[in-house]
Amino acid sequence: MREQMLKSILSDLNGASADIEASAIISSDGLTMAALLPQDVDEDRVGAMAAAMLSLGERTARELARGELEQVMVKGDSGYILMSYAGKDAVLTVIARREAKLGLIFLDTKRASKNIAEIL
C-alpha cells in the first residue's frame, strides 16, 4: 500500500513537467523504495549512487560550514540529476532534461518531497 502511494507521488511528479524524465525515492542507506525509471536504468545502482552523493554532500556542507544539506544537483551535458531529502530517512531523486526549467523542477520536487515525508 505504501509503495503504491509513493509511486503515485512519483507519477504525479513525472506528469507535472515534460522536463522530468524519471524519478525515484531512495532510503538514506541506498535502497530503492519506489521508482519510475527507464527500463535500461538499474534501480540498485541509482540508489547506491544517490546515497554516496548525499553522504559526500552532507560532509561537504558540514566541513565548509554551509549548514544542513538540502539538495545535491548534478549537471551534465545531457541534463540534470537533482537529489533532495524527503523526510529524515528518504531522498527524492529526479532526472531532468537539459532544457528543463529548474525553478519549476525545484518547486515540483519540494512539493513531492513534502508529500513523501508525510507518508513515511
Side-chain angles (χ1 to χ4, degrees), residues 3-44:
E3 183 179 355
Q4 284 304 103
M5 293 169 72
L6 295 174
K7 280 196 173 188
S8 175
I9 291 170
L10 293 180
S11 180
D12 290 346
L13 175 63
N14 291 10
S17 171
D19 291 331
I20 296 176
E21 296 179 321
S23 59
I25 302 166
I26 313 293
S27 69
S28 55
D29 57 353
L31 299 174
T32 302
M33 302 168 80
L36 291 178
L37 300 170
Q39 293 288 72
D40 61 335
V41 176
D42 182 2
E43 287 183 14
D44 293 334

Side-chain angles (χ1 to χ4, degrees), residues 37-93:
L37 300 170
Q39 293 288 72
D40 61 335
V41 176
D42 182 2
E43 287 183 14
D44 293 334
R45 212 166 171 190
V46 171
M49 287 186 285
M53 290 293 295
L54 283 169
S55 177
L56 184 58
E58 285 174 342
R59 184 170 178 198
T60 303
R62 185 174 54 252
E63 293 289 329
L64 298 177
R66 298 297 97 189
E68 292 293 314
L69 180 70
E70 291 183 23
Q71 65 186 17
V72 173
M73 185 178 77
V74 177
K75 180 182 179 193
D77 61 359
S78 296
Y80 300 91
I81 300 116
L82 175 67
M83 291 166 266
S84 61
Y85 280 104
K88 187 176 124 184
D89 297 319
V91 176
L92 174 60
T93 301

